[in-house]
Amino acid sequence: MTHRIVNPDALVKPVGFAHAVVARGTTVHLGGQTALSRDGEIVGRTLTEQFDVASDNLLQALTAAGAQPDHLVSLLIFVTDVPAYRAARRELGAAWRQRFGRHYPAMALLGVQELYDPGALVELVGTAVIP
């Protein structure tokens, strides 16, 4: 691992995220990714379906920038329905592990009223550091 994960004992034990990441290298700022297909349509009706597509879109941008999944150091997850996110945690966790393994960057979940793309339920905004 090129980045150092920091989880202080004074804070709650993290599950599915890191409290802090000390990164070294070239920074890549990833624009917000929703479940938008190449033809401009939102794909998926459920939060989990859209998370799958948004994650794939994030990975496309990440790898196009020359980074790998384990270079991700920070991720903001914007959702229009926080209770739905909580209810789908198992499925969302499986979707995450399928793409990123057990690499958990510093993360935050933010509930918002709506996202730019009509029909979007989730948007992912990340930062990666290429060593």
Side-chain angles (χ1 to χ4, degrees):
M1 172 72 62
T2 56
H3 308 304
R4 185 169 52 95
I5 305 298
V6 179
N7 291 311
D9 290 336
L11 298 176
V12 67
K13 182 180 177 183
V15 177
F17 71 96
H19 284 293
V21 178
V22 179
R24 294 179 184 93
T26 302
T27 304
V28 178
H29 297 276
L30 300 161
Q33 297 296 324
T34 62
L36 203 61
S37 69
R38 188 178 169 119
D39 64 1
E41 300 296 323
I42 292 292
V43 177
R45 292 188 352 226
T46 69
L47 182 60
T48 302
E49 290 169 346
Q50 288 195 19
F51 185 86
D52 281 340
V53 178
S55 294
D56 287 342
N57 290 347
L58 187 81
L59 277 172
Q60 288 290 327
L62 184 71
T63 58
Q68 300 172 8
D70 64 336
H71 296 157
L72 197 61
V73 297
S74 178
L75 184 70
L76 299 176
I77 304 169
F78 296 89
V79 296
T80 58
D81 188 345
V82 173
Y85 185 93
R86 284 188 197 110
R89 277 192 342 214
R90 283 192 189 274
E91 295 85 8
L92 293 167
W96 175 267
R97 287 187 300 278
Q98 179 182 1
R99 289 160 182 84
F100 300 95
R102 296 215 177 260
H103 169 71
Y104 300 109
M107 299 170 88
L109 175 70
L110 302 150
V112 296
Q113 187 171 357
E114 72 180 305
L115 297 164
Y116 181 79
D117 295 315
L121 303 174
V122 61
E123 185 163 348
L124 306 176
V125 178
T127 303
V129 177
I130 302 170

